[in-house]
Amino acid sequence: MDPELEKWDVLFTDARLATMVPNGTPYGTLEGMALAVQDGRIAWIGPMAELPHQGAKRLVPLEGRWMTPGLVDCHTHLVHGGNRAAEFELRLTGASYEEIARAGGGIASTVAATRAAEEDSLLDQARPRLEALLAEGVTTVEIKSGYGLSLDEEAKMLRVARRLGGEFPVTVRTSFLGAHALPPEYRDDRAGYVEAVAAMLEPIARAGLADAVDAFCEGIAFTPEECARVFEAAQALGLPVKLHADQLSDTGGAALAARFRALSADHLEYTSHSGVAAMAAAGTVAVILPAAFYTLHETQLPPIQAFRDAGVPMALATDCNPGSAPLTSPLLAMNLACTLFRLTPEEALTGFTRTGAVALGMGASHGTLEVGKAADLAVWQIERPGELAYRLGFNPLAYAIRAGKPRHLPAV
Ligand code: DI6
Ligand code: FE
């Protein structure tokens, strides 16, 4: 056989690996390592001294730099029309997020801007936000619909999400969030809209536009019973579910998510201890979203210690959305989670890698540095992994690799 064919595609040498696989050391650290990539997957990991003489088509000496799994941003509303800076200014004069929503602003104003935008314009608007995530090492991103609120408009948003995945070196997972808000044309017919959402699922699924189904369970959005109706329709189609749960009040959202074996329940500031226990029993991931807490001046802390005590895995995400979390920085989300919620930097990085992947149903293939997993990697100019959560507004990414392909060529 041609010896060239035997060679690995890429070989990283002299690396410090934060594998994020529990091995008794913080971050699952392995030092003095080599990592080989073949066909977009991690093919070999081992000490430099045990490196086989296989050779590689491309050799990348890391000179002791840290490598982590590529970041997984498991909760975003990245595709949307317009922005809500005016609402930000209103809130600073005293109006609350809920008051603005009840007065017809909030999500409804983004629905109007999203409906008014052509598909290509939505794509143009989303690109720079995605580029900002990629610049900080994101290799997988979840993108929700939820600002269209009709079959055609939700499908438009999800097509834009799919197109972003085709255009950029990133894995995109989509969630259908038809039950995000009541659209104006259904103002007096809640039940009718919930049935309409349930009916949207089949064509959305048939078009391959949704990897999961999400809903907003909240006083200003949908009741647990209404969300359950949507979840039943999702499960009948074999689609996994997720839930915006207990963000502004305790509506029993965590327990509802657990009842449907949701991949994740997200936000959770007001989740009760019985909700935590239900999530633990169901294996539902808690997605922590500190940017929304920060932006809304929330004071109710999510039950972080209860999640730890119950063994509920915590993921972390930007929640990138135009209202409650206009954030496109996973590193700042890590800092906020540590500073506001007392996550450890290791929990924060775990939340953006291993557990973020689990929250998307991708735990078997993504989120850690392990042989056989996707070669989605991030290389950082740092002395210790805790630096990723420590700074505000500084990006130490050297470069990222997605499916084995360097996104930015390393300067070697
Ligand atoms: N919770 C959120 O964080 C976003 N949606 C939701 O249900 C906020 C959406 C927005 O304000 O536009
Ligand atoms: Fe959200």
Side-chain angles (χ1 to χ4, degrees), residues 77 84 97 107 147 180 216 244 247 267 292 319 321-324:
H77 309 251
R84 304 235 290 277
Y97 181 75
I107 293 174
Y147 296 116
H180 194 198
F216 187 15
H244 282 71
Q247 178 187 5
H267 287 287
D319 194 13
N321 78 64
S324 62

Side-chain angles (χ1 to χ4, degrees), residues 41 110 153 215 245 254 351 359:
R41 293 179 186 278
T110 300
E153 294 294 331

Side-chain angles (χ1 to χ4, degrees), residues 20-283:
M20 309 316 287
V21 181
N23 71 354
T25 72
Y27 304 92
T29 295
L30 299 172
E31 302 216 22
M33 303 297 283
L35 182 147
V37 173
Q38 187 69 46
D39 299 328
R41 293 179 186 278
I42 299 172
W44 189 86
I45 295 175
M48 289 297 292
E50 295 172 18
L51 196 54
H53 294 290
Q54 182 165 348
K57 294 171 197 156
R58 175 172 197 158
L59 186 69
V60 185
L62 288 191
E63 296 163 338
R65 286 194 198 88
W66 280 95
M67 175 184 278
T68 69
L71 302 187
V72 178
D73 194 351
C74 69
H75 179 142
T76 86
H77 309 251
L78 188 90
V79 173
H80 56 259
N83 71 70
R84 304 235 290 277
E87 186 182 304
F88 172 66
E89 293 179 57
L90 255 183
R91 284 203 311 275
L92 288 170
T93 66
S96 77
Y97 181 75
E98 281 162 292
E99 284 162 2
I100 292 168
R102 291 191 193 281
I107 293 174
S109 67
T110 300
V111 171
T114 302
R115 287 178 170 184
E118 299 286 344
E119 187 170 318
D120 285 350
S121 161
L122 274 187
L123 186 67
D124 287 343
Q125 294 181 58
R127 272 194 201 102
R129 292 190 281 270
L130 180 56
E131 281 165 358
L133 296 182
L134 300 194
E136 292 192 7
V138 168
T139 50
T140 297
V141 62
E142 185 258 18
I143 302 178
K144 302 176 193 299
S145 64
Y147 296 116
L149 310 185
S150 70
L151 176 58
D152 288 351
E153 294 294 331
E154 290 287 298
K156 177 175 82 177
M157 291 186 71
L158 293 167
R159 281 195 303 274
V160 170
R162 288 280 189 242
R163 285 173 69 183
L164 288 166
E167 205 176 288
F168 287 88
V170 67
T171 300
V172 169
R173 279 289 194 269
T174 55
S175 298
F176 169 73
L177 180 54
H180 194 198
L182 202 60
E185 58 277 17
Y186 279 92
R187 187 169 294 134
D188 300 316
D189 186 12
R190 298 185 62 83
Y193 184 62
V194 173
E195 285 314 308
V197 170
M200 287 178 213
L201 279 170
E202 201 271 331
I204 292 278
R206 189 155 28 86
L209 286 172
D211 299 312
V213 172
D214 196 348
F216 187 15
C217 188
E218 190 56 67
I220 55 168
F222 295 94
T223 65
E225 294 71 30
E226 290 165 338
C227 295
R229 170 73 189 96
V230 174
F231 281 3
E232 279 156 12
Q235 291 197 332
L237 291 163
L239 286 170
V241 301
K242 311 170 77 68
L243 188 69
H244 282 71
D246 307 330
Q247 178 187 5
L248 308 170
S249 59
D250 180 8
T251 61
L256 173 71
R259 176 150 73 86
F260 284 87
R261 306 242 164 238
L263 288 173
S264 70
D266 304 36
H267 287 287
L268 306 169
E269 277 82 343
Y270 287 84
T271 295
S272 64
H273 282 229
S274 65
V276 174
M279 287 175 64

